[in-house]
């Protein structure tokens, strides 16, 4: 399971969930319950409202019994300053590989989002992963959320071919959404794919 947890207190949590009173408490109780039964990660989306509380949010999530934590900056707030000096106990990082991956990227001066000059120009993830909304399929969830056009209809017989053609013809460095918003983990996948398929 992957569940969003963007705050360590109800006052901020309810605001982050659209102002729904009691929403944060319901999320916290769900995380506690599921964490006793199965593998649960929490996704912490950071923006100017909650970024200063990141260490407290991480500690709070760990106390809920989660298996791992994914911290990520919101697409509309891709600030690196708050992360670059983030210090988390090494013992915690060694038990939580997803959190460790992201913290190590910060330590190495790498932000969560954004393609660098030496990164792959192709996104082979599109060949294995599909985002569907309504009757249409999109390149990825980030592009869908940022308002890109769909690749095509999900019920067309040519879905796989359409996705392959998009992959072949699309340059991530020439696409503003990809260039600014692509996630480090996706970029690493694409770079490895290119490395092994040369």
């Amino acid at each position: 399971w992957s569940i969003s947890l963007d705050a360590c207190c109800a006052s901020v949590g309810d605001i982050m969930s659209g102002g729904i009173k009691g929403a944060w408490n319901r999320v916290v109780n769900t995380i506690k319950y599921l964490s006793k039964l199965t593998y649960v990660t929490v996704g912490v989306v950071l923006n100017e409202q909650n970024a200063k509380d990141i260490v407290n949010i991480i500690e709070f999530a760990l106390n809920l019994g989660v298996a791992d934590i994914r911290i990520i900056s919101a697409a509309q707030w891709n600030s690196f300053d708050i992360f670059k000096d983030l210090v988390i106990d090494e013992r915690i990082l060694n038990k939580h590989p997803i959190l460790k991956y992201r913290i190590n990227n910060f330590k190495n001066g790498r932000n969560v989002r954004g393609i660098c000059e030496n990164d792959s120009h192709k996104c082979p993830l599109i060949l294995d992963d599909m985002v569907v909304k309504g009757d249409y399929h999109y390149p990825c969830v980030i592009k869908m959320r940022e308002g890109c056009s769909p690749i095509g209809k999900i019920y067309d017989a040519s879905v796989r071919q359409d996705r392959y053609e998009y992959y072949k013809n699309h340059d991530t460095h020439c696409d503003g959404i990809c260039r600014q918003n692509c996630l480090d983990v996706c970029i690493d996948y694409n770079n490895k794919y290119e490395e092994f398929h040369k």
Side-chain angles (χ1 to χ4, degrees), residues 69-126:
I69 301 169
R70 293 171 293 105
I71 53 176
I72 182 172
S73 55
Q76 299 76 19
W77 185 82
N78 194 19
S79 173
F80 181 65
D81 292 340
I82 196 78
F83 303 128
K84 64 183 178 187
D85 298 320
L86 189 59
V87 177
I88 305 292
D89 189 306
E90 201 63 38
R91 291 169 297 184
I92 291 172
L93 296 180
N94 288 335
K95 291 180 182 176
H96 303 90
I98 298 170
L99 180 62
K100 184 174 184 172
Y101 166 81
R102 186 89 2 106
I103 297 294
N104 283 341
N105 279 349
F106 294 150
K107 284 181 184 175
N108 293 322
R110 185 174 182 202
N111 203 351
V112 176
R113 296 178 182 273
I115 294 173
C116 296
E117 189 178 319
N118 295 327
D119 290 325
S120 173
H121 285 250
K122 293 291 176 193
C123 182
L125 269 171
I126 194 172

Side-chain angles (χ1 to χ4, degrees), residues 2-182:
S2 179
I3 303 172
S4 293
L5 180 73
D6 300 329
C8 57
C9 64
S11 59
V12 176
D14 285 349
I15 291 169
M16 298 282 294
S17 62
I20 303 166
K21 194 159 180 63
W24 183 83
N25 282 325
R26 287 192 298 276
V27 168
V28 167
N29 289 333
T30 301
I31 292 169
K32 279 185 199 174
Y33 176 77
L34 290 174
S35 292
K36 292 175 186 172
L37 302 174
T38 189
Y39 180 93
V40 174
T41 66
V42 291
V44 181
V45 177
L46 299 166
N47 62 24
E48 64 278 356
Q49 285 180 292
N50 65 351
K52 64 186 180 312
D53 295 325
I54 183 58
V55 173
N56 293 331
I57 296 170
I58 290 170
E59 289 173 0
F60 181 79
L62 293 173
N63 288 329
L64 297 177
V66 300
D68 219 328
I69 301 169
R70 293 171 293 105
I71 53 176
I72 182 172
S73 55
Q76 299 76 19
W77 185 82
N78 194 19
S79 173
F80 181 65
D81 292 340
I82 196 78
F83 303 128
K84 64 183 178 187
D85 298 320
L86 189 59
V87 177
I88 305 292
D89 189 306
E90 201 63 38
R91 291 169 297 184
I92 291 172
L93 296 180
N94 288 335
K95 291 180 182 176
H96 303 90
I98 298 170
L99 180 62
K100 184 174 184 172
Y101 166 81
R102 186 89 2 106
I103 297 294
N104 283 341
N105 279 349
F106 294 150
K107 284 181 184 175
N108 293 322
R110 185 174 182 202
N111 203 351
V112 176
R113 296 178 182 273
I115 294 173
C116 296
E117 189 178 319
N118 295 327
D119 290 325
S120 173
H121 285 250
K122 293 291 176 193
C123 182
L125 269 171
I126 194 172
L127 303 174
D128 296 321
D129 191 33
M130 186 182 309
V131 173
V132 175
K133 180 181 174 188
D135 293 336
Y136 297 93
H137 62 102
Y138 293 79
C140 68
V141 70
I142 293 170
K143 290 202 68 173
M144 183 199 70
R145 285 182 181 165
E146 293 300 308
C148 85
S149 298
I151 294 174
K153 287 202 164 197
I154 191 65
Y155 305 110
D156 290 348
S158 62
V159 168
R160 282 231 173 258
Q161 186 61 35
D162 291 346
R163 296 186 76 76
Y164 179 73
E165 290 299 322
Y166 186 95
Y167 159 74
K168 223 170 52 172
N169 297 314
H170 183 257
D171 185 335
T172 56
H173 287 248
C174 296
D175 183 317
I177 295 173
C178 297
R179 201 172 56 249
Q180 292 177 328
N181 295 306
C182 192

